Amino acid sequence: MSTWIAALNIDEIPSMGSRVLYYKDEEIALFKTKNGEIHAINNLCPHKKGKLSEGLVHETMVTCPLHNWDIDLKSGEAKGEDCNCSTTYETKLKEDLIYIKI
């Protein structure tokens, strides 16, 4: 059974940046794209477990800081690579507070 949890205020994430949320055993990276979209994804790259929150955000992608793999923030898929996906989480915004569906 999934539930919505309050994560943080939208203003706490810089444009083209990220913040990390620790929830139970999960490490979730929240990203804000240039156009203000919010995406939540497992913070570990499916390749070598690089911290995606430390990567570069561009359009709706993040580039893993370890091996430059591009991960789609919407689907969690690594672009151009044959590997597993990162888990994505549904988000919603209510009165400037970001909620994540866990």
Side-chain angles (χ1 to χ4, degrees):
M1 180 178 192
S2 58
T3 187
W4 288 96
I5 62 164
L8 49 108
N9 189 290
I10 192 167
D11 294 332
E12 294 180 66
I13 305 174
S15 180
M16 308 279 293
S18 67
R19 291 292 180 261
V20 178
L21 171 72
Y22 298 93
Y23 180 78
K24 296 186 181 180
D25 292 336
E26 299 189 53
E27 192 173 322
I28 302 167
L30 290 102
F31 293 91
K32 185 190 291 183
T33 63
K34 185 176 183 178
N35 66 3
E37 291 178 3
I38 301 295
H39 299 280
I41 189 168
N42 182 297
N43 195 29
L44 299 177
C45 177
H47 178 223
K48 294 284 186 179
K49 308 301 180 208
K51 300 285 186 172
L52 294 177
S53 61
E54 298 172 7
L56 297 174
V57 178
H58 47 101
E59 299 188 25
T60 59
M61 308 284 281
V62 62
T63 300
C64 177
L66 291 184
H67 296 99
N68 295 324
W69 281 26
D70 287 331
I71 309 295
D72 187 298
L73 294 172
K74 293 181 179 183
S75 68
E77 294 179 9
K79 296 297 177 184
E81 305 297 338
D82 184 23
C83 74
N84 295 327
C85 297
S86 293
T87 302
T88 57
Y89 301 87
E90 188 177 348
T91 62
K92 68 180 178 181
L93 188 62
K94 184 176 180 182
E95 299 177 7
D96 291 337
L97 190 58
I98 301 168
Y99 290 84
I100 300 175
K101 192 173 189 178
I102 301 289

